[in-house]
Amino acid sequence: QKEVEQNSGPLSVPEGAIASLNCTYSDRGSQSFFWYRQYSGKSPELIMSIYSNGDKEDGRFTAQLNKASQYVSLLIRDSQPSDSATYLCAVTGSQGNLIFGKGTKLSVKP
Amino acid sequence: SAVISQKPSRDICQRGTSLTIQCQVDSQVTMMFWYRQQPGQSLTLIATANQGSEATYESGFVIDKFPISRPNLTFSTLTVSNLSPEDSSIYLCSAGGKNYGYTFGSGTRLTVV
């Protein structure tokens, strides 16, 4: 059974700080990794995808992948109150579907 | 990435009835996925919908309860049958691919009374 583990939080950071979200996965053969943001009452929104080891940056977001350690992280720089949401880590399953972690709730305090 | 229109956005249904949820994608996609998200929980895959073949269901989900149609490469429906209060949840469809990401419909919030 493929699993994706995340700290459920809540993670609270002050405005302007760096928020660090972490995720581990069980299937060493996983190839594609995604971070979704989900606001309360809304559907998940894709914010980052990463496929190879190392860092990938997009604006204030940086995804980091370490396949040897089966670890994926998301850094949010200059965190804003509007970043307050649940962040879901996902990896692709055998059907091409996504397997989600339980999500980390982030709260950015003004 | 694909844009998905999902409807209805919410519904309140009586026990024993059924609800059919529709998802329309703005481009052709090989696979579509149906998820359930219970309050405060993450997303659980119900089934994978392939055009031209039977849907593939995950453990704990059966075709009699969650029949799926996939008549073409841009459309799919999920029916939740013989509703009980335990079916109250958010249902989401998704499409995309591992190489370019997956998008979601806006979700259907089902309440069974």
Side-chain angles (χ1 to χ4, degrees):
Chain A
Q1 180 80 7
K2 297 178 183 178
E3 295 183 346
V4 178
E5 301 285 343
Q6 292 181 257
N7 188 324
S8 62
L11 173 65
S12 183
V13 300
E15 184 175 356
I18 296 174
S20 178
L21 305 162
N22 304 313
C23 171
T24 58
Y25 59 94
S26 64
D27 183 6
R28 189 169 288 277
S30 296
Q31 296 292 319
S32 305
F33 308 87
F34 305 91
W35 282 99
Y36 284 82
R37 177 176 62 199
Q38 187 174 28
Y39 293 113
S40 180
K42 301 295 186 183
S43 63
E45 172 193 9
L46 178 64
I47 53 172
M48 289 290 287
S49 60
I50 188 165
Y51 307 101
S52 54
N53 280 329
D55 295 359
K56 179 181 178 182
E57 187 174 318
D58 184 0
R60 295 186 297 112
F61 299 98
T62 299
Q64 299 174 318
L65 174 61
N66 184 326
K67 289 187 177 180
S69 300
Q70 295 175 243
Y71 176 90
V72 191
S73 65
L74 179 71
L75 301 178
I76 307 174
R77 290 182 298 281
D78 187 24
S79 295
Q80 301 296 309
S82 58
D83 295 326
S84 298
T86 296
Y87 289 80
L88 299 165
C89 174
V91 304
T92 46
S94 58
Q95 302 285 340
N97 59 290
L98 291 176
I99 302 169
F100 286 89
K102 293 187 184 298
T104 299
K105 188 171 185 177
L106 173 65
S107 177
V108 181
K109 304 295 187 184
Chain B
S1 54
V3 175
I4 304 176
S5 298
Q6 182 173 346
K7 60 181 181 182
S9 59
R10 59 179 63 229
D11 207 341
I12 301 173
C13 298
Q14 296 290 325
R15 293 182 193 220
T17 64
S18 299
L19 175 69
T20 296
I21 303 166
Q22 300 180 1
C23 278
Q24 177 75 51
V25 190
D26 70 343
S27 59
Q28 293 185 338
V29 291
T30 303
M31 290 189 290
M32 294 181 67
F33 306 94
W34 288 96
Y35 292 86
R36 181 173 72 184
Q37 187 173 31
Q38 296 183 307
Q41 302 297 314
S42 190
L43 286 79
T44 299
L45 181 67
I46 297 172
T48 301
N50 304 308
Q51 195 269 335
S53 64
E54 293 281 341
T56 303
Y57 289 83
E58 296 299 296
S59 176
F61 298 96
V62 295
I63 187 171
D64 290 347
K65 177 68 174 177
F66 298 99
I68 287 171
S69 77
R70 184 81 200 276
N72 57 52
L73 291 174
T74 64
F75 188 78
S76 180
T77 68
L78 169 74
T79 298
V80 189
S81 304
N82 190 23
L83 291 167
S84 68
E86 292 71 35
D87 296 320
S88 297
S89 190
I90 297 172
Y91 294 85
L92 294 143
C93 62
S94 176
K98 61 182 180 180
N99 295 325
Y100 50 91
Y102 300 76
T103 54
F104 285 83
S106 54
T108 297
R109 183 180 295 272
L110 169 61
T111 302
V112 182
V113 297

